Amino acid sequence: MSAAALSEGAALRTRSLVKRFGGLTATDEVSLTLERGARHALIGPNGAGKTTLVNLLAGVLEPSAGSIELDGRDITRLSVHQRVRRGLVRTFQITQLFPALTPLASLALAVSVQRGASAGAWRPLGQDDAVATECERLLERFQMLDVMRQPVASLAYGKRRLLEIALALACAPRVLLLDEPVAGVPAGERHEILAAVDALPAEVSILLIEHDMDLVFSFARRVTVLVNGAVFAEGDAAAIAADARVKAVYLGEDDHAVAALG
């Protein structure tokens, strides 16, 4: 696809996407458009179907009906791996970090594989200047130079979440499904995550799936609200924050979420 074609239209689009588990409809005719360069959030109360929808986008689940397009091409039946190779990356896909590896080695592996090297070619790191340079760039971007040689198992949880995002960027995504980046992160470590999310490359189209409304409304320009597997509301962040119907569906959630909606 030409650069001109890629500069127009949607980065990611679903058309009437449905997922049924027996008699339960978990995803109900969802049509979603992620524009190029988007900062788009997907929110909804517990049980709204967010995880199922993201699993469909990432290729973990196959839809019962409907289609998914990446850069205008149908990817509905492609595997997770094939989607990653085409530029659709989900942070949750790589949360199973290798605890014995260091951040440097983890990134070297990801960068090498992205560049087409075999699975073992990352080991002689110093022999590939391009890989080393890209690793250093990512470590610096995510403020991990000081821990780059420590085993992942020894890192604070916030640093592990930063590494997950860095690994996602090492896959050279065009579309990034950013799956609850601050989930489980202690309050004292959240500022690094928020800063990293805010500084993600402008050319990467991002769908943020998040319960933290402070993060959602500081990050997103557009918001989709999912309820009972269907699109309940969609619009710019200010309109969604002021929508009385959206506030109502959150009344069963925690008070902080409702307060963040305005």
Side-chain angles (χ1 to χ4, degrees):
M1 186 174 292
S2 70
L6 285 173
S7 68
E8 300 175 358
L12 183 67
R13 188 192 305 273
T14 71
R15 299 180 189 273
S16 301
L17 205 60
V18 175
K19 181 61 181 178
R20 300 185 187 93
F21 296 98
L24 172 67
T25 300
T27 303
D28 190 2
E29 297 283 343
V30 171
S31 294
L32 176 71
T33 298
L34 190 70
E35 300 293 347
R36 300 197 188 284
R39 296 295 185 263
H40 195 136
L42 178 68
I43 67 173
N46 289 330
K50 300 184 297 295
T51 298
T52 300
L53 178 57
V54 176
N55 282 335
L56 290 168
L57 296 175
V60 176
L61 295 174
E62 287 193 8
S64 304
S67 64
I68 306 168
E69 297 173 5
L70 178 66
D71 290 328
R73 295 173 176 169
D74 193 309
I75 62 166
T76 309
R77 303 302 170 189
L78 295 187
S79 67
V80 172
H81 173 72
Q82 289 171 317
R83 295 181 198 208
V84 171
R85 297 298 295 178
R86 294 194 182 202
L88 176 59
V89 178
R90 179 189 184 186
T91 52
F92 186 73
Q93 292 169 192
I94 47 180
T95 53
Q96 302 302 316
L97 302 172
F98 293 103
L101 290 185
T102 65
L104 177 58
S106 300
L107 286 168
L109 173 59
V111 171
S112 296
V113 171
Q114 173 60 30
R115 291 170 178 264
S118 64
W122 62 278
R123 296 184 182 278
L125 178 60
Q127 297 181 16
D128 192 324
D129 290 341
V131 170
T133 298
E134 178 63 7
C135 289
E136 182 178 0
R137 184 187 70 82
L138 288 165
L139 288 163
E140 182 175 10
R141 171 189 280 272
F142 289 94
Q143 300 180 34
M144 300 192 71
L145 287 170
D146 59 331
V147 297
M148 68 180 184
R149 298 189 187 278
Q150 296 181 20
V152 168
S154 71
L155 299 181
Y157 191 68
K159 288 292 188 184
R160 295 188 203 184
R161 298 309 300 249
L162 284 173
L163 179 56
E164 292 164 11
I165 301 173
L167 284 166
L169 285 191
C171 296
R174 292 202 297 273
V175 173
L176 177 59
L177 306 178
L178 194 56
D179 199 349
E180 298 193 23
V182 298
V185 177
E189 300 174 31
R190 289 162 60 90
H191 67 281
E192 284 189 319
I193 306 289
L194 299 180
V197 169
D198 190 55
L200 286 169
E203 66 271 18
V204 179
S205 307
I206 299 172
L207 180 63
L208 171 71
I209 303 91
E210 186 54 70
H211 283 288
D212 187 301
M213 294 298 103
D214 290 334
L215 174 55
V216 166
F217 288 105
S218 67
F219 172 83
R221 296 191 291 265
R222 191 163 185 83
V223 178
T224 297
V225 184
L226 207 64
V227 176
N228 295 327
V231 174
F232 179 79
E234 184 172 290
D236 63 63
I240 292 297
D243 191 321
R245 300 178 308 139
V246 174
K247 291 180 182 180
V249 302
Y250 273 95
L251 287 176
E253 303 288 298
D254 61 73
D255 293 338
H256 181 71
V258 178
L261 287 165

